[in-house]
Amino acid sequence: MSLTSHTAAHSIPPHTLTQLAREWLAEDTPNFDPAGVCVGSQQVEARLLCKTPHSILAGSPFFTAVFTEVGCTVDWIFQDGDEIGPDAVTLTAVVRGPARCLLLGERPALNCLSRVSGIATRCSQLQAVATARGWHGEVAGTRKTTPGFRLPEKYAMLVGGVSMHRHDLSGMVMLKDNHVWASRSITQAVKAARSVCGFSSKIEVECHSAEEGREAAGAGANIVMLDNIQPQELHVAARALKEKFPTLLIEASGGVTPENIAMYFSPHVDIISLGCITQGCPVVDFSLKVQKPVSHSSLQER
């Protein structure tokens, strides 16, 4: 179930929002803003329009933070987690402030909102497939995120209703094939990792067969990732592992797409992770249109 902005947004520390907004603004305007001379500081109103029907809105805290930083206000008509549509163009929010400041924030704010809403929309669609098929495991993202943009993309997963998975290397121990090869065995890798992380962190091991999964679970791994295994073979391996290690979590990953995810659903699979949640994900089309001021002469004519 996706979260609304009233809950999901509360997971983001205010100072983090401010820091990100300042970084994005500094990237887009590192020194002078020559175009600002054309518009000045007159108060204007701009309408945020969504032009991708049936999208899930996500990213409003970041959008608002950008405009707050340049002295503008945002009034939202929809909240994060809401589906926008079905009209071809939907008024989503209204931004007010000095013209030059509003235009300074326009592109960084739109970039973020479009990307985050696109990811949330894909997550919502994937979760809907799982729900329709009666699968009770967790659809999850990965660390395959845009450099410098991980927090907004993980937030999109949260709003879209899927698991964010681990946030970073410090969040949970995941021993990939390269770790195992460098350690010479799965057992050695798990024992070495456990000596550092102790009882407070879970250990997940990437495995390519039921045999490797049994070694990982026997060494003390909490989660076995069955990676790049065809669905039919995966279901057999997952069932065998669950029978021997009932508390073991099984994650399916590698080669999973929105088109074939249903093939991986199984009562023995607890997690299905997809890199395509963030990689190659379509964006939601938003635009910000400054409204022309009504002249006194126009009012008199009326």
Side-chain angles (χ1 to χ4, degrees):
M1 181 177 179
S2 61
L3 298 176
T4 67
S5 61
H6 299 296
T7 50
H10 292 168
S11 67
I12 310 172
H15 68 273
T16 301
L17 284 173
T18 300
Q19 179 183 349
L20 288 170
R22 289 176 177 176
E23 289 175 355
W24 297 333
L25 287 164
E27 177 187 52
D28 206 39
T29 314
N31 42 70
F32 289 107
D33 173 33
V37 176
C38 306
V39 296
S41 295
Q42 61 175 315
Q43 291 292 314
V44 295
E45 176 180 297
R47 295 180 180 180
L48 176 66
L49 305 176
C50 177
K51 296 182 285 186
T52 307
H54 304 293
S55 298
I56 301 299
L57 178 67
S60 64
F62 306 103
F63 186 94
T64 299
V66 169
F67 282 111
T68 298
E69 198 61 30
V70 292
C72 298
T73 61
V74 183
D75 292 318
W76 290 95
I77 296 169
F78 292 87
Q79 300 296 323
D80 279 8
D82 290 346
E83 181 177 320
I84 303 175
D87 297 334
V89 179
T90 302
L91 178 62
T92 307
V94 177
V95 184
R96 298 179 179 88
R100 67 183 185 87
C101 297
L102 191 148
L103 295 177
L104 281 174
E106 176 186 14
R107 181 44 52 197
L110 286 176
N111 284 350
C112 181
L113 193 69
S114 296
R115 173 74 173 153
V116 175
S117 294
I119 293 171
T121 300
R122 171 161 285 183
C123 290
S124 179
Q125 293 166 346
L126 290 168
Q127 188 56 49
V129 173
T131 300
R133 294 297 186 99
W135 184 64
H136 300 294
E138 294 193 45
V139 178
T142 68
R143 278 172 49 245
K144 297 175 181 178
T145 54
T146 307
F149 206 65
R150 178 170 293 172
L151 189 146
E153 291 181 353
K154 289 287 188 178
Y155 173 82
M157 298 176 200
L158 187 64
V159 174
V162 307
S163 171
M164 295 184 287
H165 214 301
R166 61 174 179 164
H167 292 266
D168 47 50
L169 291 176
S170 301
M172 182 184 76
V173 180
M174 182 183 289
L175 302 174
K176 308 281 283 184
D177 50 8
N178 285 329
H179 294 98
V180 172
W181 293 335
S183 300
R184 298 184 181 180
S185 79
I186 289 174
T187 300
Q188 283 185 295
V190 172
K191 288 183 176 179
R194 182 62 72 193
S195 70
V196 177
C197 70
F199 68 88
S200 62
S201 295
K202 290 182 178 179
I203 295 178
E204 179 169 8
V205 181
E206 177 184 284
C207 300
H208 299 92
S209 66
E211 181 180 356
E212 290 184 354
R214 281 191 290 270
E215 182 182 354
N222 307 101
I223 309 168
V224 163
M225 175 196 286
L226 296 175
D227 189 47
N228 284 306
I229 299 178
Q230 292 301 310
Q232 187 173 359
E233 182 185 350
L234 180 138
H235 296 320
V236 173
R239 180 174 182 173
L241 288 168
K242 282 287 192 177
E243 287 176 349
K244 187 168 184 179
F245 305 96
T247 62
L248 183 70
L249 293 177
I250 303 295
E251 175 177 345
S253 189
V256 187
T257 68
E259 291 74 30
N260 69 13
I261 186 172
M263 297 174 65
Y264 292 83
F265 295 155
S266 163
H268 309 296
V269 174
D270 304 288
I271 307 143
I272 300 176
S273 57
L274 304 87
C276 66
I277 281 179
T278 47
Q279 292 189 321
C281 182
V283 300
V284 174
D285 187 5
F286 287 101
S287 64
L288 195 63
K289 296 298 181 183
V290 175
Q291 302 303 293
K292 294 181 180 180
V294 179
S295 66
H296 291 295
S297 58
S298 296
L299 291 174
Q300 291 172 357
E301 290 174 1
R302 292 179 185 177

